[in-house]
């Protein structure tokens, strides 16, 4: 009873946070200086009337919101403006209908753009995340079990090194290495591959994923190794582990049945947060390998003041992060009953 | 046992690959570029990548050649009425759309009316059709275009008005239509398009004038310039349309790669902008005018001294690695006949520059190394801004600061987000000096407009320069039908703005492209302009035997 109420409350908070993000998203981008109708276009052929037409088409000729005359840098309207005819109301109304709008830059529905990009990002970063978690945890367990030996030392030092490697640099190095070994340098599929049988298409995507995934895995696994190691070492110094040893349990049994579950707690937090940000993509890796992911879409949209894409992407990222945190919260009480739901 | 399995595997692979092999491999040209089209709807598209695709997939009334001239494309002949207002184009017979239907005068008339009647199309309506009065097709397969005013540059107005199939476009919402199928009549047809990844075009072997010899062209997007160059080196690409100048030397030394350098097809200009808006010309607050420019920049002497203190060759050598020529005005040498090559640039002469400032009364009265205004009120310290996405501007700024420091002018330098820079720039005029640039049109009119008084409140004028004599000439060249007379006016206009030192144009940049010599042969590289991804080259190249 107590527990389900607590869960409900957590879900309620998550929902409230998303609402806040919805509102913040709208104003965040409009506070930026500049004008979407002129961003990225610099051409004497673009006449004043044409720019005005662009504004009308995007709905930017309407006041942002009414009754905020004092804050005028972002063109807020007076109280005489019908609140239903403001950009803010139209945004909220469209969102309530599940409508994310149309990109100013590409004139395509934002939902289409984001779903294409989201799938690409989840594919790449998802694979990288899973690999880096698995490899990182295994190294971490080894390092902790063999604490203060050469194995431990090597794994700590190498983790620190890969964790602090500049992503961009590592990606470029791998790109040059890969290109000399026949690996593709850009994109997620070979142009024209869509006519191949499905299996070959997947193999083609796999080849394109190889280098970015390796980069991602190397850069992120260090973090997991270090957290896993220190967490597990804490647990291994507990009295009950000594007891388990005294009972004559094997190393594997001690790790599996007694130590790991407790040591996983801090890792769950990090994994949850990172999984949430998976959606945001990894701009640097996407940029080096020309991977058409969400990170790149956001980067481009900022430069062009493409408000609908930005709002949609930030909403998506916020929902993913909030959701991942919610899951982490809920997993906690399962993993460790001491984390009681007050 | 193990070796037996391996043997079977190899056998299976061989059999499979034998089945997969076709009698003749299609010849596919793989081009790499750093961008991606924004929209395939010609009315809505803005980016040059989109226009490259339009050039290949559509036809228009005229083709723009690499020497800057125009030739009739869709029409056999054109006649002009004596008053210069009515043009009659005789459309070629038997031209087919990619879907097999016939292209007629009705399609052309429909397209021109579509552009004319859609004010939401920023370029095709806003810039290329304002003189259109009416367009009709008759039953002799002729298009009759009536203008509101006799203009000298109709070819350059029609060249980007891509002709669209009426049977497809009359049924669609012209503002939302994504045009992914892209039925056109050009030498290539759309095969596959994935936004931000690639565009795959198949040859239209039935094209009425220039059927390509290759089977496919692929444009692949590379967000990373190093990867683009590397892809050419490793043979993953056959041609690249852009690269950083630092890559030129490496590529020139690479086997099987040819680097082509020349004037860009649509030349851009880099400019150093002086805010010289006079108080009486400042746009009203309603129009967005703020006008905080330093008063000294309104004095021609100061601008002239800065021009004499600017070592353009050094800028070209250090920033472009030599791949450019000193600039004069906004009309680049790439515009061919319109470029006034008789102007003499201000020579680099620091002593002369100092003398000019001394004579004009700008002296360093407090001996801090920076000169003051003649009345001693404020120092000659200027704000210098540039768009933060520019690769070359930070180095240019640094060099300018050094060069102008020699004549007692100090700079407060800052990179600004390009969009924020737009709002500082124009029509706000809330800056002193900026490094920026323009794209250009084949006709000089677009860039000449930037200097007019009329352009000050619209945001096109960046300097606030105003000269009634110049405005008068601008209006004249707009309607001068005689090409030679128009050229004289355009040259005179360049002389005026050069004399007034409205801008310092540091250089005209050259285009650098490269292709692999071991894959395709026949690229057009001996023309005044370089554009390997233009139809000009893509329809004539052949696979290397």
């Amino acid at each position: 009873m107590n527990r389900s109420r607590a869960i409900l409350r957590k879900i309620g908070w998550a929902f409230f946070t998303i609402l806040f993000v919805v509102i913040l998203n709208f104003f965040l981008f409009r506070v930026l200086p500049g004008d979407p109708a002129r961003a990225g276009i610099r051409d004497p052929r673009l006449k004043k009337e044409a720019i005005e037409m662009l504004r009308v088409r995007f709905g930017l000729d309407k006041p942002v919101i009414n009754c905020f005359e004092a804050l005028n840098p972002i063109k807020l309207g007076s109280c005489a403006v019908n609140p239903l005819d403001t950009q803010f109301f139209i945004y909220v109304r469209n969102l309530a209908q599940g409508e994310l709008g149309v990109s100013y830059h590409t004139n395509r529905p934002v939902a289409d753009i984001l779903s294409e990009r989201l799938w690409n990002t989840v594919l790449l970063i998802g694979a990288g995340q899973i690999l880096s978690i698995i490899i990182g945890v295994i190294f971490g367990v080894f390092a902790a079990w063999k604490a203060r030996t050469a194995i431990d030392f090597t794994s700590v030092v190498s983790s620190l090194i890969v964790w602090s490697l500049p992503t961009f640099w590592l990606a470029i190095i791998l790109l040059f290495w890969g290109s000399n070994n026949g690996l593709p340098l850009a994109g997620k599929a070979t142009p024209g591959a869509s006519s191949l049988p499905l299996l070959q298409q997947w193999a083609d995507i796999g080849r394109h994923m190889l280098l970015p995934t390796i980069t991602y895995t190397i850069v992120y696994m260090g973090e997991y190794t270090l957290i896993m190691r220190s967490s597990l070492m804490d647990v291994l110094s507990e009295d009950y582990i000594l007891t388990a040893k005294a009972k004559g349990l094997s190393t594997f049994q001690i790790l599996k049945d007694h130590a790991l579950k407790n040591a996983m707690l801090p890792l769950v937090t990090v994994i949850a947060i990172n999984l949430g940000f998976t959606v945001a993509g990894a701009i640097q890796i996407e940029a080096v390998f020309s991977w058409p992911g969400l990170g790149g879409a956001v980067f481009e949209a900022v430069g062009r003041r493409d408000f609908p894409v930005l709002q949609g992407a930030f909403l998506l990222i916020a929902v993913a992060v909030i959701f991942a945190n919610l899951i982490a919260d809920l997993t906690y009480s399962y993993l460790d009953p001491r984390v009681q739901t007050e | 046992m193990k070796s037996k399995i391996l043997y079977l595997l190899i056998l299976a692979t061989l059999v499979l690959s034998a089945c997969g092999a076709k009698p003749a491999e299609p010849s596919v040209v793989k081009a790499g570029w750093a961008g991606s089209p924004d929209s395939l709807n010609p009315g809505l598209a803005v980016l040059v990548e989109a226009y490259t695709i339009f050039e290949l997939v559509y036809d228009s009334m005229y083709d723009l050649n690499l020497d800057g001239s125009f030739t009739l494309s869709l029409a056999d002949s054109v006649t002009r009425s004596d008053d210069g207002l009515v043009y009659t184009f005789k459309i070629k017979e038997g031209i087919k759309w990619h879907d097999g239907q016939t292209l007629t005068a009705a399609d052309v008339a429909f397209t021109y009316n579509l552009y004319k009647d859609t004010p939401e199309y920023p370029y095709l309506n806003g810039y290329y059709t304002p003189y259109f009065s009416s367009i009709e097709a008759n039953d002799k397969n002729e298009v009759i275009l009536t203008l509101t005013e006799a203009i000298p540059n109709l070819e350059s107005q029609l060249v980007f008005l891509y002709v669209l199939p009426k049977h497809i476009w009359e049924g669609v919402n012209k503002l939302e239509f994504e045009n992914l199928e892209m039925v056109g009549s050009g030498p290539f047809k759309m095969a596959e398009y994935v936004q931000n990844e690639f565009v795959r075009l198949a040859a239209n072997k039935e094209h009425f004038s220039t059927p390509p010899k290759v089977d496919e062209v692929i444009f692949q997007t590379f967000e990373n310039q190093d990867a683009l160059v590397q892809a050419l080196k490793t043979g993953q690409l056959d041609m690249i349309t852009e690269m950083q100048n630092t890559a030129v030397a490496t590529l020139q030394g690479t086997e099987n790669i040819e680097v082509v350098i020349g004037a860009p097809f649509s030349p851009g200009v880099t400019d150093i902008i002086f805010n010289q808006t006079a108080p009486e010309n400042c746009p009203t607050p309603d129009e967005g005018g703020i006008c905080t420019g330093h008063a000294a920049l309104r004095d021609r002497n100061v601008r002239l001294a800065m021009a004499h203190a600017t070592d353009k060759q050094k800028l070209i050598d250090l920033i472009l690695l030599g791949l450019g020529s000193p600039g004069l005005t906004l009309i680049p040498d790439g515009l061919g006949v319109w470029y006034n090559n008789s102007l003499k640039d201000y020579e680099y002469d620091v002593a002369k520059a100092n003398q000019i400032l001394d004579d004009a009364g700008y002296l360093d009265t407090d001996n801090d190394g920076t000169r003051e205004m003649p009345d001693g009120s404020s120092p000659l310290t200027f704000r210098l801004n540039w768009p933060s996405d520019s690769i070359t501007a930070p180095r240019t700024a640094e060099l300018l600061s050094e060069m102008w420091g020699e004549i007692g002018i100090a700079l407060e330098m800052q990179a600004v987000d390009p969009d924020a820079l737009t709002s500082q720039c124009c029509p706000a005029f809330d800056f002193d000096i900026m490094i920026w640039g323009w794209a250009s049109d084949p006709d000089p009119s677009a860039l000449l407009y930037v200097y007019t008084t009329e352009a000050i409140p619209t945001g096109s004028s960046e300097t606030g320069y105003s000269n009634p004599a110049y405005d008068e000439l601008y209006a004249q060249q707009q309607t001068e039908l005689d090409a030679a007379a128009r050229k004289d006016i355009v040259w005179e206009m360049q002389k005026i703005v050069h004399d007034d030192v409205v801008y310092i144009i540091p250089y005209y940049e050259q285009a650098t492209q490269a292709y692999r010599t071991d894959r395709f042969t026949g690229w057009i590289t001996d023309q005044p302009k370089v554009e390997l991804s233009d139809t000009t080259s893509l329809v004539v190249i052949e696979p290397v035997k």
Side-chain angles (χ1 to χ4, degrees), chain B residues 17 19 76 85 123 174 194 203 209 213 219 304 334 448 516:
Chain B
S17 60
C19 293
D76 279 323
L85 288 179
Y123 291 118
K174 57 193 178 181
V194 185
S209 84
K213 295 171 178 164
F219 288 93
L304 180 67
L448 292 172
R516 286 197 73 91

Side-chain angles (χ1 to χ4, degrees), chain A residues 5 21 45 50 56 81 88-89 92 104 121 150-151 159 168 171 180 218 241 253 276 281 310 313 320 334 338 340:
Chain A
R5 264 183 62 195
V21 168
R45 292 174 297 174
V56 173
V81 173
F88 182 65
F89 178 78
V92 172
Y104 297 162
T121 292
I151 294 177
S159 299
F168 193 77
N180 290 325
I218 291 179
I241 299 290
Q253 271 173 319
L310 286 174
Y334 163 76
R338 284 173 304 175
Q340 245 331 323

Side-chain angles (χ1 to χ4, degrees), chain A residues 252-271:
Chain A
F252 180 72
Q253 271 173 319
I254 293 175
L255 280 176
K256 178 173 138 305
D257 296 336
H258 298 275
L260 266 184
K261 196 171 165 190
N262 287 334
M264 281 303 276
L265 276 178
L267 204 67
V268 168
T269 320
V270 181
I271 291 176

Side-chain angles (χ1 to χ4, degrees), chain B residues 397-423:
Chain B
E398 229 169 85
L399 290 166
L400 288 179
S401 165
E402 241 169 66
M403 293 170 185
W404 294 342
E406 301 272 311
I407 56 167
I409 287 174
L411 296 176
E412 287 169 1
M413 305 191 287
Q414 201 188 359
V416 177
D417 173 84
D419 201 29
L421 198 63
T422 308
S423 57

Side-chain angles (χ1 to χ4, degrees), chain A residues 34-35 38-39 41-45 53 105-106 108 117 176 179 183 185-186 192 194 287-288 290 292 305, chain B residues 38 119 123 128 178 192 195-197 200 220 222-224 230-231 236 417 419 422 426 436-438 441 446 462:
Chain A
D35 177 356
R38 292 176 63 187
I41 310 173
R42 194 162 161 70
D43 195 316
R45 292 174 297 174
M53 276 326 289
H105 174 52
T106 61
R108 293 178 61 208
R117 296 296 191 105
F176 277 79
S179 70
L183 286 172
L185 285 162
S194 58
V288 173
S290 309
R305 300 291 186 269
Chain B
D38 49 344
Y123 291 118
Y128 292 115
E178 290 188 39
E192 192 184 5
Q195 190 167 37
N196 290 91
E197 291 182 49
R200 192 160 65 88
Q220 194 175 6
F222 283 70
E223 287 169 44
N224 171 1
Q230 183 69 9
Q236 292 190 26
D417 173 84
D419 201 29
T422 308
C426 3
W436 217 346
W438 285 111
D441 190 63
E462 321 158 281

Side-chain angles (χ1 to χ4, degrees), chain A residues 36 53 63 77 100 138 151 165 180-181 208 213 234 289 320:
Chain A
M53 276 326 289
L100 290 173
I138 290 174
I151 294 177
L165 273 184
N180 290 325
N181 290 286
H208 282 80
T213 309
D234 270 357
F289 296 104

